[in-house]
Amino acid sequence: MHLSEILNHLGETREHYFQAVSPPVIQSSNFAYRSLDEFRQAFADELRHHLYTRGNNPTVHILRQKLAALEKAEDCLVFGSGMAAISAAVLANVSAGSHVVCVQSPYSWMKSLLMHYLPRFGVEHSFADGRSVASIEQAIRPNTSLIYLESPNSLTFELQDLAACAELARSRGITTCVDNSYCSPVFQNPIELGIDLVVHSGTKYINGHSDVVLGVLCGSSAMVKKIFDAEYMTLGGILSPHDAALAIRGLRTLELRMQRSDSSAMAIARYLEGHPKVEKVLHPLLPSFPQYELAQRQMRGAGGLFSFYLKADRIEQAEVFIEQLQHFLLAVSWGGHESLILPSAAFYKIPGRPDSTQPWNLVRLYIGLEDAQWLISALDKALEAV
Ligand SMILES: *Cc1c(COP(=O)(O)O)cnc(C)c1O
């Protein structure tokens, strides 16, 4: 199906709501039935009927259909946060005594789920260098039930060869799950490469306006049904109808926003790569990136997120750059309209906490929808001050 069809029309049965162009927010917790027979049918298959909004809601359902089609998946569930989606995907594929192979630097709270939470339930894990399929293979044990990938990750952008990982996992009967937040469905579709489950922090590009926290989980109908009946309904981490409507609005411009952030970020990364006060730029689609060839083969674009190392001897020089930089908001997260800076120096000198293991001169930038030249002139001034 054409991307334009998905973003503008799919799932929108306008004859159900006065031919309204923009779908209504069905802000109702439950739904009434006209006959006992229909009521019974709804109980028989809650995933496909509107019974209660913790299960299914018409506004949320429109969003689910669009996201499934975007990821070329059979079905999709949405959650109240990316972590709720990730936790559901992981919990659905482990039980006491099983083992998870995970890439070395996944999203921080995913790491916490494996290291601090799941051991309470007898679930073990190993971290493997995802840049090499062999190292993932070496980490597999007889009780491995899930391989968890994130390609690229959101700070240093290591990739995994998704098709090769999927093939390896399939030959061992292991489920694969990929966090695809970095590329968004516009630039990468892991299910096409043989991956079983795709998760997103929809908080980032999918909603795209820094006003909703949202999680996405895409997979086969059977896997989605299994997760619906267990993690989704029992843990209850749903998205509200109002937030679903905001995300549907966000999707209208997903392709445009991705293209804009992608081309601006590329121009800014190239500018920084040529700057004497920059030691190195990390951007998967720059030829200097160690996995450039794989990135070119596997991704259709990179979006707005990349990092660089300042050329500096003392943390105070990085602090000057950060404090002087205009137009970029000092903030976590990414994927909205606004450009952001997340310097590793922010994870130094935190009262009561050890310093980060990342070097203090590593700076992550997110390039939003502003004019690239306007952002470059701000970077130019701040680098001048270093
Ligand atoms: C933000 C983020 C998450 C977590 O998503 P939330 O919506 O904040 O729960 C997961 N993975 C990646 C790569 C992220 O950037």
Side-chain angles (χ1 to χ4, degrees), residues 81-84 86 107 150 154 179 181 201-204 213-214 334:
S81 72
M83 272 317 299
I86 291 169
Y107 179 69
E150 190 180 319
S154 60
D179 183 332
S181 304
S201 170
T203 312
K204 313 294 162 54
V213 177
L214 152 70
W334 45 276

Side-chain angles (χ1 to χ4, degrees), residues 347-368:
F347 301 99
Y348 281 69
K349 308 185 187 174
I350 299 177
R353 259 175 68 170
D355 286 346
S356 168
T357 52
Q358 294 291 345
W360 51 259
N361 64 337
L362 177 63
V363 176
R364 186 180 84 177
L365 293 181
Y366 167 69
I367 309 303

